[in-house]
Structures are given as C-alpha cells and as structure tokens.
C-alpha cells in the first residue's frame, strides 16, 4: 500500500513512516520540514502528493497547549483548515482510506464516579480552586470526592482548550468526508505519547519532553499541581504500530471510527517525572503547585476497543520506555 504520511518528518509521523516500511508498505512523506516545505494547507501541493496514493495517515498538526488563546487562529488554520484541504483533495483523487491522529483531549476531564451519584461529569476547574491548591474536581451534584477511572470512546466530548477544540473539529470533518465519499476514516485518540525524537524546549511539546529537556539542562523537572494527575503514557512505537494496524484493517466506510490509543497503565505525572529523572541520573523533580487553565486533572484510556476490534496491543512497558527515553535524542523544534 502506498501511504501518504502528512507530518511524516515529525515526532510521531517519522515513527509511522518507519513502521509502514517495516510492514512492506510504501510511505510518502509530506511535511513542512522537508526540503520542499510542503504545507497541508497548500491545495496544489496536497493534490500532487496524493498521486498514486492508496491511503493517508494524517499526522500533521499544531499540538499542545501552546501559549494560550493567542495561538487560536494558528491552531484552527493548521489543524482544521489543513484537514479540510487534505480531505477535499482526497475526495477529488478518489483516495478513500484515512487514519487521523486524534487526541484524548476531546474528552476534557476523564471518567469519574461519585459514591452517591455514580458516573458524573465535572465542569472546568475554577481558577480560585487551583490557586488555593484544590486540584481535585468535586462531584457537580454534591461536591464530594470523586474517583477517576478509564474513559471509553463513548464518553461525551468536552474540549477544554483551543487545541482540544481543533482536534474535535478534525474528527467532525473526517466524519463528514467519510459520509460524503463512503470512505473509511479512523481516528486514533492518542493519550500521552512519548519516546525518541520528541521535540525539545518548546511550549507545544508534551509533558514528557518538558521533563526530559530540563534534565538535559541539568535542571529538576518542574511538576505542576501536586503531581498526582493521572495520565496514560504510551510509547511512540506503539502508536506507530496502531496507525499501521488501522490502515490495514477492513474498517467500514461511510463513518468515523474512534479508538483510544493508550498503554492501559495509568501513572501520575509525578511518578513519570521521578522514573525519568532516576533513569537519567538527574535532579529529583520539583513539585511546584503551579497550574495551567485548560489542563484537566485526570484522563486515562480504556483502549480495549482498539485491542479487540483491530488486534493491536502495546509492546513497550512504562519502566522500559522511560529508561529508553532517558537516553534518547530529542529533536529541535
């Protein structure tokens, strides 16, 4: 299969390219980092790149929380306009298979249970509570302590920041394209992806990159809130393998299928920072109590649908992955 990989020179995209080659496919890299400087918003460049292509792995995106709402126009342009241009060109070229780099951020907060009111959906955390160190959301009905669990794909979506909003819009666009063309569209809702080749020292990278960059500078990783936020850290090679499995799968046309893509092993951010610092041999993490509006408290994946429906399973465990990541090279920007 000849597969166009948008963002194919980036962190996740480059691993997708390697995984495709290992499975005997022919990846075609489309990326602004390449000498051609191809941008997914360039309609003519996208149309040319789709020549002879059987499927698309759409990884190109502006990621992370960035620097706040000032980035909103850039996020919408890169992620949503870019996706619309790509899907239009795919419709014109007759390419009917898409795997989209989705994100767990579309859910907002994860799954919570109240002992009295069962499954509940807490709203955004108030700035006053965060400033006072009250990081855990309470039950929206009775205010009592909640217990976090694994979020499934059927959970309501509730994006809490600009990036999350654009990732949900990408899914809506892909669903509309699938209905219009009878194409096959899969969104892999990535959880916290880490591994070799992460970008260093940028506000658009993930938390694992922030910590690894700090250690490389000889500094202690700075952990926001109290470090007890629960996340699902999934290795980039496992994410790349999920993309290949999704591209090869016989998925139905005419609709979007969404799959959580996580390790299935929740860990706290503080736990990750300690494991990474210990493996690197650097300073112990510093729990700062700082916070960012738009961050969610707990979000961990139920990835059983991806395992059951497509036969994927993660291969890189947390401890081994952190040891590898501690010695891995990071990329610039």
């Amino acid at each position: 299969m000849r597969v166009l990989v948008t963002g194919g020179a980036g962190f996740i995209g480059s691993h997708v390219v390697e995984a495709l080659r290992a499975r005997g496919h022919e990846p075609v890299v489309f990326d602004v980092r390449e000498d051609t400087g191809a941008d997914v918003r360039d309609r003519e460049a996208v149309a040319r790149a789709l020549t002879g292509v059987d499927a698309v792995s759409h990884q190109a995106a502006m990621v992370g929380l960035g620097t706040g709402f000032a980035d909103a126009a850039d996020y919408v342009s890169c992620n949503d306009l870019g996706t619309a241009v790509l899907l239009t060109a795919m419709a014109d070229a007759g390419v009917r298979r898409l795997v989209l780099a989705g994100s767990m951020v579309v859910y907002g907060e994860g799954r919570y249970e109240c002992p009295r009111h069962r499954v509940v959906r807490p709203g955004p955390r108030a700035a006053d509570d965060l400033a006072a160190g009250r990081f855990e959301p309470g039950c929206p009905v009775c205010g009592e302590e909640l217990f976090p669990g694994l979020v499934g794909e059927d959970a309501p979506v509730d994006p809490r920041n600009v990036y999350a909003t654009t990732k949900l819009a990408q899914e809506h666009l892909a669903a509309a394209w699938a209905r219009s063309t009878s194409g096959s569209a899969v969104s892999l809702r990535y959880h916290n992806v880490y591994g070799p080749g992460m970008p260093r020292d940028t506000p658009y990278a993930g938390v694992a990159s922030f910590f690894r960059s700090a250690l490389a500078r000889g500094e202690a990783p700075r952990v926001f809130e109290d470090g007890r936020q629960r996340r699902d850290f999934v290795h980039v090679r496992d994410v790349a393998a999920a993309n290949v499995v999704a591209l090869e799968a016989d998925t139905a046309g005419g609709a979007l299928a969404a799959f959580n893509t996580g390790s299935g092993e929740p860990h706290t951010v503080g736990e990750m920072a300690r494991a990474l610092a210990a493996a690197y041999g650097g300073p112990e993490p510093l729990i700062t109590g700082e916070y960012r509006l738009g961050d969610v408290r707990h979000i961990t994946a139920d990835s059983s649908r991806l395992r059951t429906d497509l036969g994927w399973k993660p291969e890189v465990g947390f401890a081994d992955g952190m040891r590898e990541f501690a010695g891995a090279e990071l990329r610039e920007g």
Side-chain angles (χ1 to χ4, degrees):
M1 192 164 40
R2 183 176 168 89
V3 182
L4 182 69
V5 183
T6 70
F11 167 44
I12 298 175
S14 61
H15 286 272
V16 172
V17 167
E18 290 180 11
L20 285 166
R21 286 195 180 118
R23 287 283 294 177
H25 300 294
E26 180 187 355
V28 178
V29 175
F30 187 93
D31 198 292
V32 293
R33 299 171 182 84
E34 295 293 276
D35 292 339
T36 55
D39 190 311
V40 75
R41 292 167 291 184
D42 184 332
R43 302 182 185 204
E44 293 183 359
V46 171
R48 289 194 299 270
L50 285 168
T51 303
V53 161
D54 302 300
V56 173
S57 174
H58 184 29
Q59 307 296 317
M62 188 174 176
V63 300
L65 276 182
T67 58
F69 200 83
D71 290 326
D74 290 336
Y75 273 107
V76 172
S77 178
C78 292
N79 296 355
D80 299 338
L81 175 60
T83 298
V85 169
L86 172 66
L87 293 173
T88 301
M90 289 175 65
D92 291 343
V95 179
R96 297 292 183 263
R97 183 171 291 271
L98 170 73
V99 173
L100 171 69
S103 176
M104 54 84 177
V105 295
V106 300
Y107 298 115
E109 288 285 352
R111 186 179 189 275
Y112 292 87
E113 287 197 28
C114 170
R116 292 174 57 191
H117 299 99
R118 306 185 70 176
V119 176
V120 294
R121 298 281 299 174
R125 296 179 294 169
D128 288 347
D129 286 337
L130 294 171
R134 295 187 293 269
F135 302 122
E136 294 288 347
C139 174
V141 181
C142 67
E144 293 299 314
E145 179 182 5
L146 297 176
F147 297 90
L150 302 181
V151 63
E153 292 89 347
D154 296 331
V157 292
D158 184 17
R160 299 284 176 90
N161 54 58
V162 172
Y163 170 60
T165 302
T166 65
K167 295 307 289 183
L168 182 57
Q170 283 185 308
E171 288 195 351
H172 288 321
L173 288 165
W177 168 84
R179 286 192 296 270
S180 175
T181 65
S182 298
S184 167
V186 170
S187 177
L188 297 176
R189 290 176 175 170
Y190 301 160
H191 282 248
N192 289 71
V193 186
Y194 74 96
M198 283 195 87
R200 71 169 77 240
D201 296 325
T202 166
Y204 302 97
V207 66
S209 175
F210 297 161
F211 295 164
R212 178 65 175 74
S213 296
L215 289 165
R217 297 191 301 268
E219 300 172 2
R222 296 178 59 84
V223 181
F224 281 12
E225 301 187 16
D226 58 5
R228 296 177 184 171
Q229 313 93 299
R230 288 160 52 98
R231 297 291 187 269
D232 186 318
F233 299 98
V234 59
H235 196 278
V236 67
R237 286 197 299 274
D238 287 331
V239 168
N243 274 268
V244 177
V245 166
L247 284 163
E248 293 176 341
D250 185 19
T251 50
L256 175 79
F259 296 94
N260 286 335
T261 308
S263 71
E265 298 180 9
H267 293 274
T268 69
V269 173
E271 183 182 358
M272 186 272 283
R274 288 190 295 272
L276 187 58
Y280 191 87
E284 282 284 311
L286 176 64
I287 307 299
T288 68
E290 296 173 305
Y291 63 89
R292 295 188 303 182
L293 288 176
D295 272 347
V296 298
R297 179 60 173 173
H298 303 294
I299 176 72
T300 52
D302 178 355
S303 298
S304 58
R305 181 181 292 179
L306 184 55
R307 297 172 187 238
T308 301
D309 291 6
L310 301 189
W312 170 89
K313 65 176 182 178
E315 301 290 344
V316 183
F318 178 78
D320 289 342
M322 287 298 154
R323 280 193 292 269
E324 180 199 26
F325 184 47
E329 291 290 330
L330 302 183
R331 68 172 63 214
E332 298 297 330

